[in-house]
Amino acid sequence: MIGCRLVRSNKNKDILQGIIVETEAYSQEDEACHGFNKRTNSNEVLFGEPGNYYVYQSYGIHHCLNVVTHKINFASGVLIRSVFIKNEDERISSGPGLITKKFLINKSFNGLKSYDNLYLKILKRDIKVSKEDLLQTTRIGISKATDLKWRWYLKSSRSISKREKGDKNPKKFFLDQFVSKPQ
DNA sequence: AATATGATGTAA
DNA sequence: TACATCATATTT
């Protein structure tokens, strides 16, 4: 999903867009996943149709946006951790709770289709992202399954919630040209 | 580096 | 009831 475009619209009018630059994966076989224990009302969507949005409330304060993956009846998803927005302060959308704040995403999107939604779309990459462009590392803010390297981010992006030691924050704003590209 | 914040699920 | 959580802003 890294390199794909997150677009917030109001019916036909796009109001905000950015490139996804950081994600984490979760699976029901990993202890940090909301679907690890049981299937409940709140995690039901995670067991549902791949491609749907899964939005949960974190620490009672923030909303976090995921896309359900893999297959029905198996809880798994990708958490969108950071988005690059052109001409915006990089801190404004570097973190899962900050993205939803900026893109006005709440639980009303929970369970909705990501591929058929008038208000929140994820569009195909128009930049090439190869394995060498990504840094794969451990996930953030969890206490279980901390060894799994299921977090990825685009090395060349300056808007990341947390960088690995030695990975310099790039000064080149190479994504700028793509973020404003009309669809 | 520590703490306040506070919805919701899970354990006690 | 009590505690932990896929986080962030503010204070120390």
Side-chain angles (χ1 to χ4, degrees):
Chain A
M1 288 176 59
I2 291 184
C4 294
R5 188 185 299 267
L6 184 67
V7 184
R8 182 71 159 98
S9 311
N10 193 347
K11 295 186 180 167
N12 294 323
K13 193 180 172 186
D14 294 350
I15 52 179
L16 183 65
Q17 59 170 319
I19 301 286
I20 297 169
V21 291
E22 180 187 356
T23 60
E24 283 177 357
Y26 288 86
S27 145
Q28 70 174 34
E29 290 165 347
D30 110 63
E31 281 195 283
C33 180
H34 288 173
F36 178 74
N37 288 322
K38 282 179 179 177
R39 192 164 172 159
T40 66
N41 259 349
S42 69
N43 66 20
E44 176 62 27
V45 165
L46 211 46
F47 288 84
E49 192 183 327
N52 286 351
Y53 291 124
Y54 168 58
V55 180
Y56 69 92
Q57 201 162 6
S58 174
Y59 294 89
I61 306 164
H62 312 287
H63 292 281
C64 295
L65 177 67
N66 297 251
V67 177
V68 178
T69 55
H70 198 39
K71 59 185 180 183
I72 286 180
N73 295 326
F74 183 92
S76 62
V78 169
L79 170 66
I80 301 177
R81 282 202 63 94
S82 190
V83 167
F84 175 84
I85 304 172
K86 190 184 179 182
N87 297 335
E88 290 274 10
D89 189 318
E90 62 189 278
R91 291 166 298 181
I92 208 96
S93 58
S94 298
L98 295 175
I99 292 170
T100 55
K101 186 180 171 191
K102 187 68 187 169
F103 280 78
L104 306 176
I105 296 166
N106 58 26
K107 288 199 80 171
S108 68
F109 287 98
N110 191 37
L112 300 186
K113 291 176 168 65
S114 67
Y115 48 88
D116 182 21
N117 193 301
L118 284 175
Y119 302 95
L120 189 65
K121 303 180 178 90
I122 296 180
L123 304 181
K124 197 159 72 167
R125 277 187 287 271
D126 45 41
I127 57 171
K128 197 189 262 181
V129 177
S130 58
K131 214 170 180 179
E132 299 78 53
D133 300 321
L134 299 177
L135 205 152
Q136 181 176 358
T137 184
T138 51
R139 296 175 294 182
I140 286 179
I142 54 170
S143 55
K144 295 167 185 168
T146 53
D147 54 318
L148 290 178
K149 289 184 160 180
W150 283 6
R151 173 172 172 249
W152 287 263
Y153 66 83
L154 191 61
K155 285 185 209 170
S156 49
S157 172
R158 69 182 195 274
S159 51
I160 293 298
S161 58
K162 192 184 176 190
R163 243 164 227 290
E164 285 291 281
K165 272 188 227 168
D167 181 21
K168 291 271 162 53
N169 197 337
K171 294 192 173 87
K172 268 193 191 170
F173 299 170
F174 93 106
L175 279 176
D176 283 3
Q177 59 184 306
F178 299 105
V179 175
S180 56
K181 185 178 172 182
Q183 290 301 303

